[in-house]
Amino acid sequence: MKVLVTDPIADAGLSVLREAGHDVETNYELEGEALLEAVSSAHGLIVRSGTEVTREVLEAGENLVIVGRAGIGVDNIDIDAATDHGVIVANAPEGNVRAAAEHTVAMTFAAARSIPQAHVRLKAGEWAKSDYLGAELNGKTLGVVGLGRVGQEVAKKLDSLGMDIVAYDPYISEERAERIGAELVEFEACLEAADFLTVHTPLTPETEDLISDAELELLEGGYLINCARGGVVDEDALAAKVEDGTLSGAALDVFAEEPLPEDSPLLYVEDVIVTPHLGASTEAAQENVATSTADQVSAALAGEPVINALNAPSVDESAFPRIEPYIGLAETAGKVATQLLEGRMERIEVAYEGEIAAEEVDLVTASALKGVFEPLEWQVNAVNAPQIAEDRGVEVTESKTRQAEDFQSLISVTVSDGDDELTVDGTLFAGDDPRIVRIDSYRVDAIPGGRMVVTRNTDEPGVIGLIGTVMGSHGVNIAGMFNAREAIGGEALTVYNVDTEVPDAAREELEGDDRIIGVSYITLDGGL
């Protein structure tokens, strides 16, 4: 498959893609129509911050499976448009975490001790020792706005140097903050308490100019450090507050416009330190983000889950081996359920019992939805399956219980058309051997795969023989059979694995017999 790389990444990442057998095209000058033409034949697209991946680009990429961002920030990618088109967006959040955190710490020290200013004056021949009275970090309070991966790493490093840590992040639990030595507080309280404030938020409409005049007033006497995203801090206001002495100093590695314009006021205030977006500029970081992104692109193109997907359910790398076998099982249960219901889909419930209920199962649920929707010939994958459900008014619920009566772990997919509903239960034998173990109230042990026929019939002698005879007369070989019944003489359900497609004539002949209640032909496209 073709992978288009439009911003420079480390050679190690390109090697990963080529070793996986992909055709890698690098072109770092693409824009406009040339970019649209190049992406039209690409299955994967890798960018950094230089390429704008707009809705128009995503529409042009008819074959696109994934856009990989070699880094953390995805401000340049229209994620909503990607989701609409079923395109995965993934970044590399771990690859440059250490580098970004270390640069933040370095900038904090540089601001506290006026290191660049003293360096410049000494190089110019001045021994300005008495002009620089620095601030020690020990015993001071660090305010962290955004306690994500980098924010947490910075907090841990500066906590170990004797700083007290307060943090503002509405999306993290108090327990998690406490584990890294931080006290969660409200936004204004964080600014007021901080001697040094470090910013680690993405740039969104909500965070643009998050810190401006009023907020900087709350930081009076302190230092502001921003090595996260440009535009979060009002640069004009910051320059003014440092110049008039409201703040003791600032250090920035990122800017609203890059490269930083020559007329930026930040360049003309001595106690504002600036670096040209160096946070991820270490050899190790560049190699890490390149290989991480390449690995995720390769996984997506191979039809495997993507660890750091931003618009699809994601899972921690350490937890993935525990849920991986259930992804295909859930999809298969969904496919079986929707083909057996054969009605308009109004509600889907995915239920987890036993050990699997202790895991993060968003990716498994999305796979179940994919399985439900795919036989309906909707253009669906794990990226857009939840969105498809919402757009089409299909109610989706998820439930968990650690109790499981008969199995170590069980997944149930229930589909309903508003009047009738049908449930398919699946489990794993011996760790990774999938089984359909219940269809509605019928206990079966069916091996899902390829083509299947599910019959409902009266439980009386000769019915199974009839089914076998009719199948044989139409050239359909039965590879396996799994039978269940409610009670002797009641209704029975049988699952048949067959080697070839079952012709309509065979199903019509079977349903013409009064003992046959229903016949459903199911295809799983090769199964699990």
Side-chain angles (χ1 to χ4, degrees), residues 190-507:
C190 182
L191 297 175
E192 289 176 336
D195 298 301
F196 292 82
L197 186 77
T198 180
V199 180
H200 298 285
T201 70
L203 178 63
T204 67
E206 291 73 27
T207 63
E208 186 173 6
D209 286 340
L210 176 67
I211 299 174
S212 191
D213 288 277
E215 292 75 25
L216 294 171
E217 287 286 347
L218 298 176
L219 189 60
E220 183 177 2
Y223 297 81
L224 184 139
I225 316 297
N226 184 13
C227 296
R229 306 303 297 174
V232 176
V233 178
D234 182 334
E235 295 169 5
D236 291 345
L238 177 64
K241 294 300 183 185
V242 175
E243 188 169 32
D244 68 16
T246 301
L247 299 186
S248 296
L252 295 91
D253 185 50
V254 291
F255 310 95
E257 182 180 348
E258 296 181 2
L260 189 62
E262 292 182 0
D263 61 352
S264 169
L266 297 172
L267 297 173
Y268 302 101
V269 180
E270 182 180 5
D271 289 325
V272 174
I273 300 167
V274 291
T275 53
H277 207 145
L278 300 179
S281 294
T282 69
E283 184 175 345
Q286 292 303 301
E287 184 166 314
N288 288 341
V289 297
T291 56
S292 173
T293 304
D295 285 339
Q296 294 187 86
V297 169
S298 293
L301 297 184
E304 299 170 359
V306 177
I307 299 300
N308 292 315
L310 298 176
N311 61 337
S314 189
V315 62
D316 185 82
E317 190 170 3
S318 62
F320 179 66
R322 297 194 297 272
I323 70 163
E324 182 179 15
Y326 295 96
I327 294 171
L329 176 66
E331 182 177 337
T332 293
K335 285 182 177 180
V336 172
T338 197
Q339 291 178 79
L340 288 176
L341 183 68
E342 297 181 341
R344 174 181 171 82
M345 198 66 56
E346 291 193 7
R347 183 175 63 83
I348 303 167
E349 179 182 357
V350 185
Y352 300 89
E353 298 180 14
E355 292 183 358
I356 184 63
E359 303 293 343
E360 291 293 331
V361 293
D362 287 352
L363 181 57
V364 184
T365 298
S367 297
L369 297 181
K370 176 178 182 289
V372 170
F373 294 145
E374 198 169 73
L376 304 177
E377 298 184 352
W378 296 352
Q379 295 299 311
V380 62
N381 57 24
V383 177
N384 60 12
Q387 187 65 47
I388 284 176
E390 181 177 344
D391 292 345
R392 295 179 182 258
V394 179
E395 178 187 355
V396 178
T397 59
E398 179 184 292
S399 63
K400 291 182 175 182
T401 176
R402 294 299 301 273
Q403 303 300 316
E405 292 184 4
D406 301 318
F407 303 97
Q408 190 170 354
S409 289
L410 187 76
I411 296 177
S412 300
V413 178
T414 300
V415 293
S416 171
D417 61 6
D419 295 320
D420 299 316
E421 69 175 31
L422 185 139
T423 300
V424 175
D425 294 352
T427 192
L428 298 172
F429 289 175
D432 60 358
D433 187 12
R435 290 288 193 278
I436 298 299
V437 294
R438 189 176 291 112
I439 298 175
D440 277 346
S441 59
Y442 296 96
R443 176 72 164 84
V444 296
D445 287 304
I447 300 174
R451 300 174 174 87
M452 304 167 67
V453 175
V454 178
T455 64
R456 293 176 186 261
N457 54 269
T458 57
D459 181 40
E460 57 183 283
V463 178
I464 290 178
L466 165 72
I467 293 170
T469 298
V470 172
M471 293 285 194
S473 68
H474 287 274
V476 179
N477 186 56
I478 296 174
M481 183 184 76
F482 310 92
N483 186 57
R485 64 184 179 183
E486 293 179 331
I488 296 175
E491 290 187 6
L493 180 145
T494 308
V495 179
Y496 299 89
N497 293 109
V498 295
D499 292 335
T500 56
E501 183 174 353
V502 178
D504 292 339
R507 283 178 273 173

Side-chain angles (χ1 to χ4, degrees), residues 84 110 144 519:
D84 290 343
V144 184
V519 180

Side-chain angles (χ1 to χ4, degrees), residues 84-109:
D84 290 343
H85 288 80
V87 177
I88 299 168
V89 177
N91 64 352
E94 300 289 352
N96 58 12
V97 166
R98 180 166 299 179
E102 289 184 358
H103 193 69
T104 302
V105 172
M107 293 285 269
T108 304
F109 274 110

Side-chain angles (χ1 to χ4, degrees), residues 66-84:
I66 181 171
V67 176
R69 167 63 163 94
I72 297 178
V74 289
D75 311 337
N76 56 315
I77 302 172
D78 189 333
I79 296 180
D80 289 340
T83 303
D84 290 343

